[in-house]
Amino acid sequence: MTVILLRHGVSTSNTARTLAGRSTGVGLTERGDEQARAVAERLAGLPIERIVHSPLLRCRLTVAPLAEKFGLEPVFDDRLIEVDYGEWTGRPIAELLAEPLWKVVQRHASGAVFPGGEGLAQVQSRAVAAIRDHDRALAGQHGRDALWVACTHGDVIKAVLADALGIHLDGFQRIMVEPASISVIRYTPTAPYVWRMNDTGADLSALAATGGQPAGAASAAPRTATSGPVPGGELGGAGSADNGNAERRDSL
């Protein structure tokens, strides 16, 4: 089975530079809405058979155009919800930089437990279990390779990717996950294989092979700025619905 890990589009909390966590009512900005529609167009030619998402509003809004395009009913999984940042929830990122725990999150994530919240090791455990459970269910249902989407949050995606890459959770902040980016993992009977990470602009047609159907191509758009790793995932910058990684690669 092959899962496309989709981070939600730019949210109102991203632009406010606060740590949304599980705050209610955090939606998408105008740019985030554009990104959600652009993702639906990018994936339109792929044989997607299931859409799973975090129960939070920003993820529901991100998958809505995709679900409409495929005629699928999205399902939520509480195990894909954002990290419970406890007392950090809603606070400005700039303010959190002064917290002693900040360095622990960056350098020793496996030991980081947010005050009044959960630990990042717990996050990885629940998120990986959710992805693998859905993967097994699809395998049992279809008896063949299937392609599906899981829309969740930055730190959650990083934790799942770290597991798939076989790296310690302490290294998960080395992985970048921008708003509306996709990362792709193919799970096999012997090992997971990471096909894409933090991808926002490249042609995805190769993924159609997992379902044996033709796929469409996707286009790139102008480059935008990115930030360093922060709890919750990268904040993204101003720009178009596409973060512009294709142009960035072309310039290297």
Side-chain angles (χ1 to χ4, degrees):
M1 303 297 107
T2 302
V3 59
I4 297 173
L5 299 171
L6 169 64
R7 187 183 173 197
H8 62 78
V10 173
S11 73
T12 53
S13 180
N14 291 151
T15 55
R17 296 298 193 264
T18 59
L19 190 60
R22 298 182 181 179
S23 301
T24 59
V26 177
L28 300 180
T29 63
E30 182 178 348
R31 179 173 174 240
D33 287 332
E34 292 174 357
Q35 288 176 318
R37 294 191 295 271
V39 164
E41 291 302 318
R42 284 192 71 201
L43 303 184
L46 300 178
I48 292 172
E49 304 192 50
R50 179 178 295 184
I51 300 172
V52 184
H53 62 90
S54 156
L56 294 180
L57 177 62
R58 52 195 183 273
C59 288
R60 297 204 311 271
L61 293 175
T62 298
V63 301
L66 185 66
E68 182 179 4
K69 185 169 288 291
F70 282 90
L72 294 172
E73 184 67 33
V75 297
F76 73 85
D77 190 320
D78 285 329
R79 294 173 296 176
L80 295 180
I81 197 170
E82 176 64 288
V83 180
D84 182 356
Y85 293 109
E87 295 171 15
W88 280 28
T89 302
R91 292 176 60 187
I93 298 295
E95 181 179 297
L96 293 173
L97 286 169
E99 293 283 352
L101 181 61
W102 182 274
K103 290 184 178 179
V104 179
V105 171
Q106 301 298 316
R107 301 174 186 176
H108 184 43
S110 62
V113 178
F114 295 96
E118 66 181 332
L120 288 171
Q122 293 174 269
V123 175
Q124 184 179 52
S125 178
R126 63 169 166 83
V128 170
I131 297 297
R132 290 181 178 269
D133 283 351
H134 285 284
D135 210 68
R136 280 191 293 269
L138 277 168
Q141 178 181 344
H142 296 286
R144 56 168 172 77
D145 287 346
L147 185 63
W148 63 288
V149 172
C151 181
T152 180
H153 308 269
D155 279 350
V156 178
I157 293 174
K158 290 181 183 184
V160 173
L161 285 169
D163 172 76
L165 290 165
I167 66 174
H168 198 280
L169 184 60
D170 289 351
F172 96 133
Q173 290 289 22
R174 300 179 185 183
I175 300 169
M176 306 296 283
V177 177
E178 297 173 89
S181 67
I182 67 166
S183 299
V184 182
I185 305 171
R186 184 164 190 265
Y187 289 94
T188 75
T190 55
Y193 295 91
V194 177
W195 283 26
R196 302 282 175 96
M197 288 198 298
N198 195 35
D199 190 319
T200 59
D203 180 4
L204 299 174
S205 58
L207 297 179
T210 63
Q213 299 181 27
S219 59
R223 174 182 180 175
T224 62
T226 59
S227 66
V230 299
E234 285 59 65
L235 303 177
S240 70
D242 191 311
N243 294 333
N245 282 2
E247 181 175 316
R248 186 177 314 153
R249 285 191 293 272
D250 291 343
S251 68
L252 295 179

